Structures are given as structure tokens and as C-alpha cells.
Amino acid sequence: MNVGAAELLLGGVVLVGASVQWLTGMGFALVAVPALVLLLGPAPGVALANCAAGAICAVGLAGGGWRQVRLNAMIPLVAASACTVPAGTWVAAHLPEPVLLAVMGGLVTVAVLLVMGGTRVPALSGVKGALTAGAAGGFMNSSAGVGGPPVSLYALNAGWAVREFVPNAQFYGIVVNAFSIAANGVPRLESGVWALAVAGMAAGAVIGRALAERVPERGARLLVLLIALGGGLSTLVKGVWEL
């Protein structure tokens, strides 16, 4: 198979995204989606991110984290996301590409800034907060590939520790990405691109686990958010420039 620079870059993006996901328990979509959207276009970029993020969450949860999933807390989140995933898919399919790029970049940028600021939102407390966060996450995941930040904000308002958040976020990631794949479909990519994406996920898992023993969690999460912020701003600028 012939592998071009764009395909190699895509594999590198997936590798970096997978590494930070294993390193910090979050961040694949925030880091990878802006670059995947710029490389493949909005629809296939988001669809590939849904597939990769869902797979990474499934592997992470299968390692034993499933025992720590709070089903009572997660049911409202995933139920609400199931209701809004179709709306996100519909919006993404009907917006012109420059507008969609601008919207995606804006969503990623705002989400990162809210998470970085540790924003506490009273409306994200209790069952109503779970429903709100789940609905926002489902819409954002199917339209822009980034459904995690609303759940992060919900966990922050609920006072969850990192060790509680990670397995529950992985569970949510599996379910919301399954919904999103059902709505958006699997991207039609060449076999070589799929092979590079899978290789990137595998290599990223190895690198992320190795770094997790050496890199302080707080510094790693800040780095992830800064990378995501840069990607979100780049996508936003590209979309606005092409309007």
C-alpha cells in the first residue's frame, strides 16, 4: 500500500490522542478531533474520532475499571445523550463545512476553557445536572466528536475524585460513542488509513502507560488541555477564514 504524508500525520494524531488518553484518563477527542477534522473533513473526522475514542474507552474499562462504574449516576447521563445524538448528527449534516468547522472549533475552545477554569455550574448538580450534562455531551459528541467536557463539568460539580471520574467517563465514552457511530456511521477510509489508526492507538497505549509512571498528573492534564485549546482555535480560525 502507498502511504502518504497525510496518512502518516493522521496516524501520528491518533497516537498522540491515545497517549494522552491513557496518560490522563481523558483528552483523546479534545486533542485529536481538530486535527482529524482538518485532515479528513468534518464528517469522516468526527466519525473516526467516535470509533477510536469508543475503542480506547472499552479497552481501558475492560482492565478492571468497570467495577467502579456508578450505574445509578450514569444512567441519566447516557439516557439523555441517546436523545440528543440524532440532533447533533442532523445539525452537522446540514451546516456548510466552513460553518461546521467554526462551530466545532468554538465548541472545543469553550469546553477546554471551562474545564481549565474549573467552572462550577449549579445547574449541573443532581439528576437534573446529569440529564443536562448527558444531553449536551451527546449533542457535542455526534456533531463535533467531543462529548467529554460536559461530563467532566458534571463530575467536578459532584465532587468526584479523579479515580472515580476515569472509569465512569470511560463507561460514558463507550455508550455515547456507540450511539454516535450508529447515527454517523463508520467512516469510509482506505484499509491503510485504518491500519495506521489502529497502530497509532496501540502505540499510544504503550507510550501513555509508560509516561503515566513518570509525568505528574496535574502537569499532564494541563498539557492535554493546552494542546486541545490550540487545536480548537486553529479549527475555529480555519472555519471563519473560509466563510
Side-chain angles (χ1 to χ4, degrees):
M1 71 180 176
N2 294 322
V3 179
E7 288 79 7
L8 290 173
L9 182 57
L10 184 145
V13 168
V14 173
L15 184 151
V16 172
S19 297
V20 299
Q21 179 77 27
W22 283 99
L23 176 61
T24 67
M26 60 166 281
F28 175 85
L30 286 173
V31 171
V33 164
L36 292 178
V37 165
L38 293 177
L39 285 170
L40 299 175
V46 167
L48 178 57
N50 292 155
C51 293
I56 291 170
C57 288
V59 172
L61 199 62
W66 57 271
R67 297 184 183 89
Q68 302 172 49
V69 174
R70 296 184 176 187
L71 284 179
N72 289 339
M74 298 311 295
I75 286 173
L77 284 161
V78 298
S81 71
C83 297
T84 56
V85 160
T89 298
W90 186 90
V91 168
H94 288 79
L95 286 178
E97 183 167 316
V99 176
L100 188 55
L101 286 172
V103 170
M104 287 179 173
L107 285 174
V108 171
T109 300
V110 171
V112 171
L113 290 174
L114 288 174
V115 174
M116 288 180 73
T119 305
R120 293 188 177 274
V121 184
L124 292 180
S125 301
V127 175
K128 289 183 178 179
L131 291 172
T132 300
F139 180 87
M140 290 175 63
N141 200 72
S142 59
S143 62
V146 284
V151 180
S152 297
L153 293 175
Y154 168 78
L156 177 67
N157 282 270
W160 289 7
V162 173
R163 69 178 64 182
E164 297 174 286
F165 170 72
V166 171
N168 286 282
Q170 289 173 334
F171 175 81
Y172 179 81
I174 293 169
V175 178
V176 77
N177 280 298
F179 290 152
S180 297
I181 292 167
N184 292 334
V186 176
R188 296 180 179 179
L189 304 174
E190 295 182 1
S191 58
V193 176
W194 278 113
L196 284 170
V198 172
M201 285 190 286
V206 174
I207 294 171
R209 284 184 166 182
L211 290 176
E213 301 175 359
R214 298 174 175 84
V215 180
E217 181 181 313
R218 185 173 181 180
R221 289 174 73 90
L222 178 59
L223 177 61
V224 169
L225 291 171
L226 289 175
I227 293 172
L229 182 61
L233 288 171
S234 298
T235 307
L236 174 60
V237 169
K238 180 176 174 59
V240 171
W241 183 262
E242 294 181 355
L243 286 176

